[in-house]
Amino acid sequence: MRDEISEIHALFEGAPETTEFRKLRKRIVRYTREAIEQYGMIDAGAHKPGAKRQKWLVCLSGGKDSYTLLAVLHELQWRGLLPVDLLACNLDQGQPNFPATVLPEFLERMGVPHRIEYQDTYSIVVDKVPAGRTFCALCSRLRRGNLYRIAREEGCSAVVLGHHRDDILETFFMNLFHGGRLATMPPKLVNEDGDLFLYRPLAHVAEADCEKFARAMNYPIIPCDLCGSQDGLQRQQVKQILDGWEANSPGRRQVMFRALMNARPSHLLDPKLFDFAGLMLSSEKFEPNADGIPDLR
């Protein structure tokens, strides 16, 4: 049987009544709210009467992660915990076989404010990327540029993406293995022009939870490999490594994720983050001066 309660957002209508699903839903909502608060995605005075409302552009690809993001943000808004206006946006990039009617019909049926934008960036990527190379990097840059433009046109203060905990971990290890740096996707950043925020409210949510949630809600999921460029990607290799670690030691992903939230610059090797040259022994701080008086350095 399915839930028929009307005092919920349409995105949650027909939710399974099982205890397992309720725990899953509660966990995702809690982690999302936690990330929004922890990384300051809402202005401090946003809840006060008369405060100017923010507007977020919520990017919807049709994958499990973006559906989860859309549903949870509307859940928080519905319950008065997210005082922002939400505009769902799908950027149709002209990929072959993309089912262009799926998302507009879904959003209309759910009563979700939205904008569907068509920009054939796929043809540009195919033309510019050498044979045998993956499309993802250029495709992502073109997509991001269009989303920033749309956000400005719609008066949004932030572009909101559905990257989750596992995306963040995978990006960290890709930078570690292939980029020679310790870096990943931050939950909050400002774009290069300095006029828009970019948020990742699912930063604490596991990919497996997004998968279970979207499947249980029977959302019309669109595959992310329409362009055929996903095979053999470095990200897939990193995902396999993490899967192996998780299988051998359950909970390893969460431990590694906590490490990203507990950085100690003095125990790394970057002199730009910590003044190693300025370190002194305690005895050096109180050496006597020429008059024999201890000199506090």
Side-chain angles (χ1 to χ4, degrees):
M1 292 185 63
R2 289 183 175 268
D3 191 352
E4 296 297 333
I5 299 174
S6 60
E7 289 80 14
I8 57 174
H9 193 278
L11 286 163
F12 282 91
E13 290 181 354
E17 291 186 335
T18 64
T19 300
E20 181 182 4
F21 179 81
R22 287 177 177 146
K23 288 181 178 179
L24 171 66
R25 172 178 171 177
K26 184 178 180 180
R27 180 167 64 248
I28 294 174
V29 171
R30 183 177 73 250
Y31 284 164
T32 303
R33 185 182 181 190
E34 178 182 274
I36 289 172
E37 293 177 352
Q38 184 171 10
Y39 297 104
M41 298 180 191
I42 303 176
D43 293 340
H47 290 278
K48 296 180 180 179
K52 182 180 178 181
R53 285 180 69 87
Q54 296 174 259
K55 186 177 181 181
W56 291 1
L57 189 76
V58 183
C59 301
L60 187 65
S61 66
K64 64 184 187 308
D65 310 327
S66 63
Y67 277 123
T68 301
L69 173 69
L70 183 72
V72 173
L73 291 182
H74 277 85
E75 169 84 350
L76 290 171
Q77 184 195 56
W78 184 264
R79 298 187 181 281
L81 300 173
L82 185 65
V84 302
D85 295 324
L86 302 172
L87 178 67
C89 177
N90 172 250
L91 180 64
D92 182 346
Q93 296 180 260
Q95 293 172 313
N97 303 316
F98 183 79
T101 63
V102 169
L103 289 173
E105 292 175 356
F106 172 80
L107 293 168
E108 287 287 349
R109 189 167 67 253
M110 296 294 108
V112 173
H114 62 277
R115 172 169 169 175
I116 306 297
E117 179 88 2
Y118 178 79
Q119 292 289 331
D120 185 10
T121 62
Y122 177 78
S123 296
I124 298 174
V125 171
V126 171
D127 180 63
K128 298 295 184 182
V129 176
R133 301 289 296 274
T134 58
F135 298 159
C136 297
L138 179 57
C139 181
S140 177
R141 287 197 296 271
L142 294 174
R143 179 172 61 251
R144 190 70 55 83
N146 276 289
L147 291 173
Y148 286 155
R149 171 184 58 80
I150 295 168
R152 295 185 186 103
E153 293 174 358
E154 296 290 346
C156 297
S157 61
V159 172
V160 187
L161 304 177
H163 295 130
H164 45 66
R165 181 200 69 180
D166 297 73
D167 288 324
I168 291 173
L169 270 178
E170 290 161 13
T171 300
F172 172 79
F173 281 102
M174 287 177 66
N175 281 315
L176 178 68
F177 295 156
H178 305 289
R181 59 183 178 272
L182 297 181
T184 189
M185 301 171 172
K188 176 182 179 180
L189 60 80
V190 176
N191 68 337
E192 292 182 358
D193 292 334
D195 64 335
L196 289 168
F197 285 111
L198 191 148
Y199 295 151
R200 296 182 173 97
L202 298 183
H204 294 175
V205 178
E207 180 179 17
D209 281 352
C210 294
E211 173 78 24
K212 293 175 185 175
F213 178 83
R215 296 291 182 187
M217 291 303 305
N218 200 30
Y219 292 144
I221 296 174
I222 299 172
C224 65
D225 59 353
L226 294 169
C227 62
S229 65
Q230 302 301 309
D231 293 338
L233 291 179
Q234 293 174 347
R235 183 173 293 275
Q236 294 300 320
Q237 297 171 357
V238 169
K239 184 185 288 289
Q240 291 172 5
I241 292 173
L242 295 179
D243 285 344
W245 288 346
E246 185 72 20
N248 291 329
S249 181
R252 179 66 60 85
R253 271 190 168 94
Q254 186 59 24
V255 172
M256 291 187 292
F257 184 78
R258 286 205 305 270
L260 294 180
M261 302 173 65
N262 189 28
R264 297 186 181 182
S266 64
H267 287 57
L268 296 172
L269 282 76
D270 191 342
K272 297 187 294 297
L273 295 180
F274 187 81
D275 183 16
F276 293 99
L279 283 176
M280 295 182 295
L281 298 174
S282 58
S283 60
E284 294 177 316
K285 300 178 183 178
F286 300 98
E287 291 184 358
N289 58 22
D291 298 321
I293 301 174
D295 182 16
L296 179 61
R297 296 186 179 183

